[in-house]
Amino acid sequence: DVKVTQSSRYLVKRTGEKVFLECVQDMDHENMFWYRQDPGLGLRLIYFSYDVKMKEKGDIPEGYSVSREKKERFSLILESASTNQTSMYLCASGGTGGYQPQHFGDGTRLSIL
Amino acid sequence: KQEVTQIPAALSVPEGENLVLNCSFTDSAIYNLQWFRQDPGKGLTSLLLIQSSQREQTSGRLNASLDKSSGRSTLYIAASQPGDSATYLCAVRLGGSQGNLIFGKGTKLSVKP
């Protein structure tokens, strides 16, 4: 089975802190994604990566950056956390073929106080 | 811009009933469509993926259909059970994209014993 592992299920940080969310996949997928999910807004794409050291902005990249130094690992960075970044963060991975589904981790519930 | 809509937003049915969840999208130039299940506070579990050239996919009691020309997909759940209670999300992958998905806001299903 495909495994996408997010480093934390719950995280509490303070305003202004630099926050790192880590995601690891074990399927050698080229593509990895970071979404955030908010009530009433659904899932929105923050950033994605289609290869090591490559990244593309999604719909809501402001206030975030990402890092992909190894194929299996994709990190989301909140440069200076703010309360409006309190959310559920979901990491996903998938292959490039149209027949390959996207697989998600269990999510990180992040609270910024 | 691609928009994905799911109706109804919530649905409550008695156990044993067959039911249909609806998903519509505005741009028919999709690569594939994926149905997910999300339990409260958890990540997304992939249920079915339909490629753009396919009409339907089946897995156990689940059957998903795709009518690309009309911009519609349905998820049919046979003989519903209380364990089917969850939020069901559909997502489309755009043709020519790197795999990022556009999500609907989901249908919250409650199956009463």
Side-chain angles (χ1 to χ4, degrees):
Chain A
D1 274 356
V2 175
K3 189 77 174 172
V4 178
T5 303
Q6 294 185 229
S7 54
S8 304
R9 291 280 284 122
Y10 302 94
L11 209 51
V12 180
K13 296 291 182 180
R14 298 236 172 248
T15 304
E17 279 191 68
K18 190 169 186 176
V19 181
F20 293 84
L21 302 183
E22 307 286 346
C23 176
V24 177
Q25 52 100 358
D26 67 357
M27 280 301 292
D28 201 36
H29 284 155
E30 294 85 0
N31 299 329
M32 295 188 75
F33 309 86
W34 276 106
Y35 298 88
R36 66 177 280 179
Q37 185 177 30
D38 300 286
L41 296 177
L43 275 91
R44 294 178 291 168
L45 181 66
I46 305 171
Y47 266 99
F48 66 99
S49 169
Y50 53 90
D51 202 350
V52 175
K53 296 190 185 296
M54 305 302 289
K55 60 185 179 183
E56 291 281 347
K57 293 180 180 178
D59 298 320
I60 50 165
E62 296 78 19
Y64 303 95
S65 62
V66 290
S67 172
R68 194 165 181 203
E69 296 296 319
K70 294 185 178 181
K71 191 174 185 180
E72 68 271 18
R73 187 179 296 271
F74 192 36
S75 302
L76 179 70
I77 304 157
L78 285 66
E79 297 291 344
S80 177
S82 64
T83 54
N84 63 11
Q85 293 179 308
T86 291
S87 186
M88 174 70 133
Y89 289 87
L90 293 161
C91 174
S93 75
T96 53
Y99 56 90
Q100 296 190 30
Q102 202 165 112
H103 296 273
F104 282 75
D106 284 337
T108 296
R109 175 75 65 184
L110 176 64
S111 296
I112 307 296
L113 304 179
Chain B
K1 182 183 175 185
Q2 177 76 271
E3 291 184 4
V4 180
T5 303
Q6 292 186 247
I7 294 173
L11 182 64
S12 182
V13 300
E15 182 177 2
E17 197 162 291
N18 301 326
L19 59 100
V20 173
L21 306 181
N22 297 296
C23 173
S24 62
F25 46 94
T26 55
D27 186 343
S28 62
I30 65 169
Y31 206 33
N32 62 40
L33 183 144
Q34 200 168 348
W35 281 95
F36 295 89
R37 168 188 172 133
Q38 186 176 31
D39 293 292
K42 297 289 184 65
L44 279 64
T45 300
S46 178
L47 297 174
L48 290 164
L49 179 143
I50 310 178
Q51 297 178 59
S52 62
S53 58
Q54 296 176 318
R55 298 283 291 184
E56 64 179 308
Q57 282 286 336
T58 298
S59 176
R61 294 183 293 108
L62 305 179
N63 175 279
S65 68
L66 175 65
D67 184 341
K68 214 173 69 160
S69 61
S70 68
R72 294 176 188 273
S73 176
T74 62
L75 179 67
Y76 174 83
I77 303 177
S80 58
Q81 303 169 359
D84 294 329
S85 297
T87 296
Y88 291 81
L89 296 144
C90 76
V92 299
R93 175 178 168 178
L94 298 179
S97 71
Q98 290 290 345
N100 42 302
L101 301 176
I102 311 294
F103 282 85
K105 292 183 180 177
T107 294
K108 185 175 182 179
L109 173 66
S110 177
V111 181
K112 305 290 187 187

